[in-house]
Amino acid sequence: MDYEYAPLRLPSNVDRLTAAAQLAIQAEFSGWELARVRLYRDGTRQVMLRRRRVAEAQPGLSY
């Protein structure tokens, strides 16, 4: 499988429920799935999203 990846950094002031809601919206409307989450000591999260590459255009990330 060939995937495309999108790194995303969430600041420490974004709580867990808000982060989950944002990621769920991206998953539902843009086809992204969660590949990895790293939580740092300062409270920031580095999220790696992935989706399969397809021939037709798909919507990108919205911030």
Side-chain angles (χ1 to χ4, degrees):
M1 289 274 156
D2 193 23
Y3 289 98
E4 61 179 314
Y5 291 88
L8 186 64
R9 189 178 278 289
L10 301 174
S12 60
N13 64 346
V14 176
D15 65 355
R16 204 171 179 178
L17 290 175
T18 304
Q22 288 178 344
L23 295 174
I25 290 169
Q26 293 300 327
E28 186 170 344
F29 294 108
S30 300
W32 293 100
E33 64 184 35
L34 189 62
R36 179 184 317 153
V37 177
R38 287 186 178 173
L39 178 62
Y40 293 99
R41 288 182 184 232
D42 64 354
T44 60
R45 290 178 181 88
Q46 182 179 357
V47 178
M48 186 67 69
L49 302 174
R50 72 177 185 178
R51 68 179 171 189
R52 291 184 185 156
R53 289 186 189 242
V54 293
E56 65 269 359
Q58 291 183 345
L61 284 175
S62 60
Y63 297 104

mmCIF file of all heavy atoms in Angstrom, residues 9 36-40 44-48:
data_model
loop_
_atom_site.group_PDB
_atom_site.id
_atom_site.type_symbol
_atom_site.label_atom_id
_atom_site.label_comp_id
_atom_site.label_asym_id
_atom_site.label_seq_id
_atom_site.Cartn_x
_atom_site.Cartn_y
_atom_site.Cartn_z
ATOM 1 N N ARG A 9 0.986 19.212 14.553
ATOM 2 C CA ARG A 9 1.400 19.457 15.936
ATOM 3 C C ARG A 9 0.282 20.202 16.644
ATOM 4 O O ARG A 9 -0.173 21.243 16.189
ATOM 5 C CB ARG A 9 2.681 20.267 16.000
ATOM 6 C CG ARG A 9 3.213 20.317 17.435
ATOM 7 C CD ARG A 9 4.503 21.055 17.580
ATOM 8 N NE ARG A 9 5.742 20.397 17.275
ATOM 9 C CZ ARG A 9 6.312 19.429 17.983
ATOM 10 N NH1 ARG A 9 5.701 18.906 18.999
ATOM 11 N NH2 ARG A 9 7.491 18.962 17.655
ATOM 12 N N ARG A 36 0.172 7.772 14.261
ATOM 13 C CA ARG A 36 1.021 7.852 15.452
ATOM 14 C C ARG A 36 0.710 9.129 16.218
ATOM 15 O O ARG A 36 0.403 10.157 15.633
ATOM 16 C CB ARG A 36 2.490 7.879 15.024
ATOM 17 C CG ARG A 36 3.456 7.978 16.168
ATOM 18 C CD ARG A 36 4.895 8.106 15.718
ATOM 19 N NE ARG A 36 5.196 7.197 14.625
ATOM 20 C CZ ARG A 36 6.138 7.433 13.723
ATOM 21 N NH1 ARG A 36 6.854 8.531 13.777
ATOM 22 N NH2 ARG A 36 6.364 6.575 12.757
ATOM 23 N N VAL A 37 0.821 9.047 17.540
ATOM 24 C CA VAL A 37 0.707 10.221 18.401
ATOM 25 C C VAL A 37 1.869 10.191 19.379
ATOM 26 O O VAL A 37 2.144 9.167 19.998
ATOM 27 C CB VAL A 37 -0.610 10.241 19.203
ATOM 28 C CG1 VAL A 37 -0.645 11.441 20.143
ATOM 29 C CG2 VAL A 37 -1.806 10.268 18.291
ATOM 30 N N ARG A 38 2.544 11.322 19.498
ATOM 31 C CA ARG A 38 3.607 11.472 20.497
ATOM 32 C C ARG A 38 3.223 12.613 21.418
ATOM 33 O O ARG A 38 2.896 13.707 20.960
ATOM 34 C CB ARG A 38 4.944 11.798 19.844
ATOM 35 C CG ARG A 38 5.553 10.637 19.148
ATOM 36 C CD ARG A 38 6.930 11.003 18.673
ATOM 37 N NE ARG A 38 7.539 9.844 18.028
ATOM 38 C CZ ARG A 38 8.682 9.880 17.403
ATOM 39 N NH1 ARG A 38 9.354 11.011 17.319
ATOM 40 N NH2 ARG A 38 9.170 8.800 16.850
ATOM 41 N N LEU A 39 3.247 12.346 22.717
ATOM 42 C CA LEU A 39 2.966 13.366 23.713
ATOM 43 C C LEU A 39 4.285 13.774 24.343
ATOM 44 O O LEU A 39 5.035 12.933 24.850
ATOM 45 C CB LEU A 39 2.012 12.818 24.778
ATOM 46 C CG LEU A 39 1.658 13.756 25.924
ATOM 47 C CD1 LEU A 39 0.949 14.996 25.405
ATOM 48 C CD2 LEU A 39 0.788 13.031 26.936
ATOM 49 N N TYR A 40 4.591 15.078 24.285
ATOM 50 C CA TYR A 40 5.839 15.593 24.829
ATOM 51 C C TYR A 40 5.636 16.122 26.243
ATOM 52 O O TYR A 40 4.516 16.381 26.676
ATOM 53 C CB TYR A 40 6.400 16.686 23.912
ATOM 54 C CG TYR A 40 6.840 16.138 22.575
ATOM 55 C CD1 TYR A 40 6.019 16.252 21.460
ATOM 56 C CD2 TYR A 40 8.052 15.493 22.437
ATOM 57 C CE1 TYR A 40 6.417 15.743 20.236
ATOM 58 C CE2 TYR A 40 8.458 14.989 21.215
ATOM 59 C CZ TYR A 40 7.636 15.111 20.122
ATOM 60 O OH TYR A 40 8.033 14.607 18.918
ATOM 61 N N THR A 44 2.600 19.331 24.372
ATOM 62 C CA THR A 44 2.271 19.335 22.949
ATOM 63 C C THR A 44 2.182 17.901 22.442
ATOM 64 O O THR A 44 2.789 16.981 22.997
ATOM 65 C CB THR A 44 3.316 20.113 22.129
ATOM 66 O OG1 THR A 44 4.586 19.494 22.302
ATOM 67 C CG2 THR A 44 3.388 21.560 22.548
ATOM 68 N N ARG A 45 1.405 17.737 21.410
ATOM 69 C CA ARG A 45 1.250 16.426 20.781
ATOM 70 C C ARG A 45 1.674 16.518 19.325
ATOM 71 O O ARG A 45 1.300 17.452 18.627
ATOM 72 C CB ARG A 45 -0.206 15.975 20.825
ATOM 73 C CG ARG A 45 -0.721 15.616 22.169
ATOM 74 C CD ARG A 45 -2.200 15.236 22.063
ATOM 75 N NE ARG A 45 -2.739 14.908 23.348
ATOM 76 C CZ ARG A 45 -3.267 15.791 24.177
ATOM 77 N NH1 ARG A 45 -3.343 17.056 23.843
ATOM 78 N NH2 ARG A 45 -3.736 15.414 25.352
ATOM 79 N N GLN A 46 2.435 15.553 18.880
ATOM 80 C CA GLN A 46 2.767 15.446 17.465
ATOM 81 C C GLN A 46 1.966 14.271 16.919
ATOM 82 O O GLN A 46 2.104 13.142 17.379
ATOM 83 C CB GLN A 46 4.249 15.210 17.240
ATOM 84 C CG GLN A 46 4.596 15.139 15.778
ATOM 85 C CD GLN A 46 6.073 14.934 15.541
ATOM 86 O OE1 GLN A 46 6.866 14.889 16.463
ATOM 87 N NE2 GLN A 46 6.440 14.794 14.294
ATOM 88 N N VAL A 47 1.109 14.565 15.971
ATOM 89 C CA VAL A 47 0.203 13.576 15.403
ATOM 90 C C VAL A 47 0.615 13.324 13.961
ATOM 91 O O VAL A 47 0.897 14.260 13.215
ATOM 92 C CB VAL A 47 -1.256 14.090 15.450
ATOM 93 C CG1 VAL A 47 -2.207 13.108 14.826
ATOM 94 C CG2 VAL A 47 -1.664 14.398 16.878
ATOM 95 N N MET A 48 0.650 12.075 13.562
ATOM 96 C CA MET A 48 0.923 11.713 12.181
ATOM 97 C C MET A 48 -0.341 11.053 11.627
ATOM 98 O O MET A 48 -0.786 10.028 12.133
ATOM 99 C CB MET A 48 2.101 10.746 12.092
ATOM 100 C CG MET A 48 2.528 10.437 10.691
ATOM 101 S SD MET A 48 3.243 11.835 9.811
ATOM 102 C CE MET A 48 4.760 12.064 10.682
#
